[in-house]
Amino acid sequence: VLASPAVAARLPHRGAALTTQIGTLRVRLAGTLSGTPAVPGSGSFVVVPAWATSRLAAQAPPTEVLITGPRLDDRAVAATVARVIPQATVTFRSRVLAGLTGAPLPHGAYVAFAEGGAVAGGFSVLVLLLALVLAARSRALTLARLSTMGLGTGQGRLLVIAEALPPVLAAAAAGIACALALVPLLGPVLDLSVFTGSAAAVPVRADLAALAIPAAGLIVLGVATLSVQAHLASRRGASALRISG
């Protein structure tokens, strides 16, 4: 059998008697699973091969069946179940999830999270642009002095990016590292099952795409802003020195 970590800790590898609703089986632990489609969280379960339960199932048929797979036809499944087992109850996970998404509590949490993310992203862009604009004057003077000594436009652009971009890269890397560190630190104490209405635990995972895309956007914005500043400074050339003097 394959068992969850909680059950595997109580099953000896040499074999044990497992009592279920359909009878008692002699089982041997072959491996562990962190979750299944039927039990997505860290619950207690055992996966037994169908051939091992065929004789017991003839005496006591299964009381619950999970059907999963791509491109399932809900109408066909419901019609088949109604024809074969008229007294059965069919529940579609897609409809349950749709109902949870539209419920007031999860919907409010999603909206609040989206609004918070948008505000945080806006402030990040504002801080980055202010930092680059405030240093534009000194950066233009430096480029003007270097251009009088033969520094090319392309070299000046690379120099500006190499001088101002490392702090942006460090901030992006630190933000991603902090977000990834929060998962093991706060994940065990967050009970997200309140949003699903299920007794199964809901694990907390970091969305790498949601972390990488904003960080990449800030880097691209910084490179574009610095490139524009370097282009404008190269066009002004030595006039910036005369105005400064």
Side-chain angles (χ1 to χ4, degrees):
V1 297
L2 299 175
S4 64
V7 177
R10 302 194 299 266
L11 287 179
H13 287 271
R14 63 179 180 275
L18 180 65
T19 302
T20 67
Q21 295 179 350
I22 60 175
T24 301
L25 297 173
R26 189 71 181 178
V27 300
R28 180 180 61 84
L29 182 64
T32 60
L33 289 174
S34 58
T36 69
V39 187
S42 55
S44 297
F45 59 88
V46 176
V47 180
V48 181
W51 59 264
T53 61
S54 58
R55 185 171 56 184
L56 295 176
Q59 303 173 3
T63 58
E64 186 172 355
V65 177
L66 170 70
I67 303 176
T68 183
R71 297 182 298 276
L72 287 178
D73 189 337
D74 292 359
R75 293 183 179 181
V77 171
T80 302
V81 173
R83 183 178 66 256
V84 177
I85 314 175
Q87 69 276 14
T89 300
V90 180
T91 302
F92 294 101
R93 184 170 56 179
S94 58
R95 299 178 185 178
V96 174
L97 292 177
L100 291 174
T101 304
L105 179 59
H107 179 71
Y110 298 150
V111 172
F113 182 80
E115 292 176 349
V119 171
F123 275 113
S124 299
V125 171
L126 181 62
V127 169
L128 175 62
L129 292 178
L130 284 177
L132 296 178
V133 170
L134 290 176
R137 176 65 176 172
S138 61
R139 193 176 297 115
L141 293 176
T142 302
L143 286 177
R145 294 188 181 95
L146 293 176
S147 64
T148 59
M149 293 184 288
L151 185 70
T153 303
Q155 293 175 323
R157 184 181 296 109
L158 292 177
L159 178 62
V160 168
I161 293 175
E163 179 266 336
L165 199 58
V168 180
L169 294 174
I176 294 176
C178 290
L180 294 177
L182 285 176
V183 174
L185 292 177
L186 299 182
V189 299
L190 292 178
D191 184 12
L192 299 183
S193 60
V194 67
F195 294 104
T196 62
S198 172
V202 180
V204 179
R205 299 185 180 92
D207 190 346
L208 295 180
L211 297 174
I213 292 176
L218 288 178
I219 295 172
V220 171
L221 178 62
V223 171
T225 304
L226 292 171
S227 298
V228 171
Q229 290 180 354
H231 177 70
L232 295 177
S234 64
R235 292 186 60 181
R236 295 178 64 184
S239 61
L241 294 177
R242 291 195 297 268
I243 294 174
S244 178

